[in-house]
Structure formats: structure tokens, C-alpha cells
């Protein structure tokens, strides 16, 4: 647990979960993309899963990019580690 969270954790009762519990399954990722009315090819879908590892923020950024007419060729620039930086540039 990070230092900054320990003081809050001691004062309040809440549940913490690990990053792996937050990640979406392949089925959940597919359902999410369907809600955005996106139907990537099987190869593109595999690439999204390979790069994002089920990270919900990553998947949202991919969906935003693709729904705005973005192309999957640029998806390799969005990794689960730098997705917060990409989100800042997308929302500006």
C-alpha cells in the first residue's frame, strides 16, 4: 500500500483491491467495445488485449480514439503504463 494511502486507510474503513482485480476479462472488454458500437477485427482485438492487459482506462482511451475516427495503427503508442498521459492529451 502506498504511503499516502496508509493514513486514510487507518482512519476510515474501506476495501482495497489489487490492479489485477480491476482488470476486465476478454468478454467484458468485448462488451465494453460493443457499447461504443465498435467492432474491431479479430487481429485488432487481440492487439488491444495484448497492449492493454484488460486495463479499463486503456480500453476507454482506445474506444475514444476509435470512435473519433482514429486508426489501430496508432494504438501501439497507447500502453497501459502511459495511458494516463494519453488521456490528458485526448481530453484537451
Amino acid at each position: 500500500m502506498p504511503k499516502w494511502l496508509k493514513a486514510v486507510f487507518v482512519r476510515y474503513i474501506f476495501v482495497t483491491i489489487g490492479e489485477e482485480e480491476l482488470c476486465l476479462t476478454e468478454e467484458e472488454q468485448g462488451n465494453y467495445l460493443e457499447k461504443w458500437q465498435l467492432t474491431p477485427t479479430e487481429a485488432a482485438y487481440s492487439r488491444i488485449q495484448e497492449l492493454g492487459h484488460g486495463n479499463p482506462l486503456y480500453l476507454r482511451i482506445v474506444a475514444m480514439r476509435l470512435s473519433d475516427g482514429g486508426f489501430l495503427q496508432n494504438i501501439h503508442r497507447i500502453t497501459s503504463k502511459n495511458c494516463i498521459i494519453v488521456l490528458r492529451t485526448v481530453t484537451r
Side-chain angles (χ1 to χ4, degrees):
M1 180 177 308
K3 282 184 177 181
W4 62 268
L5 189 54
K6 284 184 182 179
V8 175
F9 187 75
V10 170
R11 282 187 236 148
Y12 302 99
I13 298 173
F14 61 91
V15 177
T16 57
I17 62 171
E19 184 178 350
E20 63 281 349
E21 295 174 280
L22 181 63
C23 292
L24 302 174
T25 64
E26 289 184 23
E27 182 180 346
E28 291 169 329
Q29 291 176 66
N31 292 340
Y32 185 78
L33 292 175
E34 284 178 15
K35 287 182 181 181
W36 280 78
Q37 299 177 345
L38 298 169
T39 51
T41 64
E42 190 173 320
Y45 184 65
S46 294
R47 185 70 173 146
I48 290 168
Q49 291 178 347
E50 177 187 332
L51 293 172
H53 306 286
N55 184 306
L57 180 57
Y58 175 85
L59 194 59
R60 178 169 173 84
I61 292 168
V62 167
M64 289 168 53
R65 286 267 175 105
L66 293 177
S67 68
D68 286 342
F71 299 100
L72 281 173
Q73 291 89 337
N74 297 326
I75 293 301
H76 70 278
R77 294 186 199 157
I78 309 171
T79 64
S80 57
K81 292 182 181 179
N82 72 6
C83 62
I84 293 173
I85 296 166
V86 173
L87 180 62
R88 288 183 189 146
T89 61
V90 168
T91 56
R92 283 187 185 164

